[in-house]
Amino acid sequence: MVVLIIVKDLVKITSHCFANGIIPKSLKEFIIIVLYKKGKKNYSLLGSYKLITFKNILVKVLKKHVVNIMSKAVEKYKLFL
């Protein structure tokens, strides 16, 4: 399956990034959308807005990979009993 090929490549890239202490700049960038909250009387106040943040999908994959590594270590070494 194509997904398995992509996952293997992403794991290799992730491992390389962590092993070499490299975090690409694009992974640190987010898109933030500002929306008005309906029914607010004063839009000069910050509480009158809602922020929606879009992360790079690779950041989500990297986080999942790190969580999996940490979970395996916790189980293997019985860190939380």
Side-chain angles (χ1 to χ4, degrees), residues 23-29:
I23 300 175
K25 184 178 178 181
S26 63
L27 298 183
K28 299 176 188 179
E29 296 174 351

Side-chain angles (χ1 to χ4, degrees), residues 50-65:
K50 182 188 312 185
L51 301 177
I52 299 175
T53 305
F54 295 97
K55 293 182 182 180
N56 183 316
I57 192 70
L58 188 54
V59 171
K60 294 178 182 183
V61 172
L62 290 172
K63 281 185 178 181
K64 183 68 175 174
H65 182 59

Side-chain angles (χ1 to χ4, degrees), residues 4-33:
L4 294 177
I5 294 169
I6 293 171
V7 168
K8 288 179 184 179
D9 288 340
L10 287 175
V11 169
K12 286 180 187 177
I13 292 167
T14 304
S15 297
H16 176 75
C17 287
F18 285 115
N20 295 299
I22 300 168
I23 300 175
K25 184 178 178 181
S26 63
L27 298 183
K28 299 176 188 179
E29 296 174 351
F30 302 96
I31 296 172
I32 300 174
I33 306 294

